[in-house]
């Protein structure tokens, strides 16, 4: 049993992490400024013994009373529409927020775990992406605010590891989807499912030939916990290597939801990566981890969740 601080704990991944940690008997201090996270995601945990919520922006100094065994830094806008709307906050939480949470981990002699991203690979020239690939990121493009903040976060995490001997973990998370994404999150899986459920056209950006590899949230969280429990300091990709084009995803969603929706085409956002797929050899070898949930099954579960959300927002 441990006491774990989760920043961004009211967000999509953060709240699932809180659930899993509480389930296994850990105490959790969930910190979130509720900019993109929501109390709805942790409402079921509010009265659980061992769970504590603190509303705070970790880009400012972070103070936690008592012993802490691990600090998991998951706070950040993570959807392109969010970080384009909040570029400076995104840079701050990835840089200052990482520095503050590293400081907390160091002061408490705790393990530090940073949520990094496949975006550190940018628009990759190596495919699939191994952890040894250094990436192709445009620092001054609109996505640079997220990508470079996360690259800085990885760099300062390794610096704390090397300089202070801090016990650290770096995970590179690839596109993850599932319950508790916001219906207006802006990411492709949530957009398509919500559009299909409403009978609206699915909005394909570009010609739909760009690819992504989508990991169901339960698989992702299992990988994150396995990495936390390992002693691995170098970056590890956690994602599902099954790659789909955006056009293929649209077809699957329409089929699963049994929707009459059609597709419509919109301009491709600037610097939108053309392909993305994790090489998960390291995760398999080091953690014995691999994803189990196929895309169709994950889409079914997620569509069920969104159907419930939409029914509450606009009852039929
Ligand atoms: N996308 C799309 N329609 C949408 C939302 C996204 O075609 O309604 C595309 C987007 O341009 C990108 C891919 O889907 O090529 C994945 O986008 P997302 O925002 O989910 O994540 P990213 O991997 O780009 O961070």
């Amino acid at each position: 049993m441990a006491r774990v601080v989760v920043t961004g704990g009211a967000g999509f991944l953060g709240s699932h992490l809180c659930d899993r940690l509480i389930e296994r008997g850990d105490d959790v201090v969930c910190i979130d400024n509720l900019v993109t996270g929501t109390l709805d995601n942790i409402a079921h945990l509010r009265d659980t013994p061992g769970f504590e919520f603190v509303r705070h922006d970790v880009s400012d100094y972070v103070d936690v009373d008592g012993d802490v065994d691990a600090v998991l830094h998951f706070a950040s806008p993570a959807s392109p529409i969010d970080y384009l709307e909040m570029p400076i906050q995104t840079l701050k939480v990835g840089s200052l927020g990482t520095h503050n949470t590293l400081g907390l981990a160091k002061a408490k002699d705790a393990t530090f775990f940073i949520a990094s991203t496949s975006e550190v690979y940018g628009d990759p020239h190596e495919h699939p992406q191994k952890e040894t690939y250094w990436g192709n990121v445009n620092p001054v493009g609109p996505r640079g605010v997220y990508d470079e903040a996360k690259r800085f976060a990885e760099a300062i995490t390794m610096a704390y590891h090397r300089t202070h001997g801090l016990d650290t973990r770096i995970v590179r998370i690839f596109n993850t989807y599932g319950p508790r994404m916001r219906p207006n999150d802006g990411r492709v899986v949530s957009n398509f499912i919500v559009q299909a459920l409403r009978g609206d056209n699915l909005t394909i950006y570009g010609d739909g030939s760009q690819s992504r590899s989508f990991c169901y949230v339960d698989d992702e969280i299992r990988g994150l916990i396995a990495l936390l429990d390992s002693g691995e300091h170098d970056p590890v990709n956690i994602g599902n290597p099954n790659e789909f084009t955006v056009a293929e995803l649209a077809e699957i969603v329409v089929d699963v939801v049994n929707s009459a929706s059609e597709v419509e085409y919109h301009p491709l956002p600037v610097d939108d990566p053309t392909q993305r797929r994790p090489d998960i050899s390291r995760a398999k070898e080091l953690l014995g981890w691999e994803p189990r949930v196929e895309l169709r099954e994950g889409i079914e579960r997620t569509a069920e969740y969104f159907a419930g959300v939409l029914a509450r927002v606009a009852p039929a």
Side-chain angles (χ1 to χ4, degrees), residues 80 119 143 175 187-188 191 203 205 210 212 246 272 276:
E119 285 281 323
R143 295 177 86 103
N175 296 64
R187 278 179 282 193
V188 68
N191 272 10
T203 53
Y205 302 164
Q210 71 272 34
R212 294 293 186 273
V246 165
D272 197 282
R276 184 182 290 153

Side-chain angles (χ1 to χ4, degrees), residues 79-158:
S79 171
I81 58 162
D82 290 330
Y83 55 75
L84 298 185
E85 213 172 275
M86 294 178 274
I88 296 172
Q89 290 98 317
T90 302
L91 281 158
K92 283 175 73 178
V93 76
S95 55
L96 306 178
T98 305
H99 186 214
N100 290 333
T101 49
L102 276 163
L104 174 69
K106 179 166 164 272
K108 303 285 186 182
D109 197 17
T111 298
F112 180 79
F113 186 119
I114 181 69
S116 187
T117 167
S118 57
E119 285 281 323
V120 300
Y121 302 123
D123 191 1
H125 290 156
E126 179 180 303
H127 193 71
Q129 293 81 53
K130 285 197 195 71
E131 291 87 346
T132 45
Y133 179 52
W134 291 355
N136 175 41
V137 171
N138 175 4
V140 295
R143 295 177 86 103
V145 298
Y146 184 68
D147 303 6
E148 296 294 4
K150 291 292 189 180
R151 289 169 67 98
F152 173 88
E154 291 196 8
I156 192 171
T157 298
M158 285 311 286

